Amino acid sequence: MKKILASASAAALLTGCLGQNALFDTVQDWNATATNNKFVNQGISFVFWWVPVYGLSLLGDIIIFNSIEFWTGTNPISKEGAKVAGTNETVTDGLGNEAELTYNADGSITVVAAQESYTLIKQGDQVIKVQDDKREVLGSVMM
């Protein structure tokens, strides 16, 4: 019985490592806009790490909410599905411009905006925009 319980617990814990971390993001987003003073917000951030609000929210994401997202396909905090191949998402920037994103099986993202369409790929640590067989390095990703 102990082996079954240990195996089930390990399986539940190991499936939760990938996900949106929606609870942590929600707490962090609140912290970023808690006041109009960036120094006070930074102070709140230090307190949240010390208390440990951030640590517990991240632990909750890893153990509970990301596991639920893995098994059901939807995160209970954000109510959004996982960004897997074949899924689409509409995003809006701060100016009200919209773009439709399609997540592809090869890890690339197809972007269709009002004026243009292109694909974003990651090559090494670089993010590259591919449009009409032309390649443009947009930046780098540090992981």
Side-chain angles (χ1 to χ4, degrees):
M1 182 66 176
K2 288 182 181 179
K3 288 183 181 179
I4 293 172
L5 184 58
S7 296
S9 298
L13 289 174
L14 292 175
T15 59
C17 60
L18 296 175
Q20 299 176 37
N21 295 324
L23 178 61
F24 177 80
D25 289 347
T26 301
V27 173
Q28 193 175 38
D29 289 345
W30 174 85
N31 178 203
T33 59
T35 70
N36 290 330
N37 186 321
K38 67 180 181 180
F39 299 106
V40 173
N41 290 347
Q42 183 62 38
I44 293 170
S45 180
F46 286 138
V47 170
F48 277 10
W49 278 115
W50 183 70
V51 169
V53 173
Y54 281 147
L56 291 174
S57 65
L58 192 55
L59 185 65
D61 274 328
I62 292 169
I63 293 174
I64 300 167
F65 302 115
N66 289 353
S67 295
I68 293 170
E69 179 182 346
F70 176 83
W71 290 106
T72 66
T74 303
N75 190 295
I77 302 292
S78 69
K79 307 289 189 230
E80 293 181 10
K83 292 168 177 53
V84 295
T87 59
N88 296 322
E89 176 181 22
T90 301
V91 295
T92 306
D93 68 8
L95 300 174
N97 302 311
E98 286 190 356
E100 180 77 20
L101 307 181
T102 302
Y103 300 94
N104 305 313
D106 63 359
S108 66
I109 301 171
T110 302
V111 180
V112 178
Q115 305 280 331
E116 60 184 341
S117 176
Y118 53 89
T119 301
L120 298 174
I121 61 172
K122 182 176 177 244
Q123 202 168 53
D125 67 344
Q126 294 182 325
V127 177
I128 300 172
K129 174 182 174 181
V130 180
Q131 185 177 29
D132 301 326
D133 295 326
K134 296 178 186 170
R135 301 166 71 88
E136 175 186 354
V137 176
L138 299 180
S140 61
V141 179
M142 297 174 56
M143 295 277 221

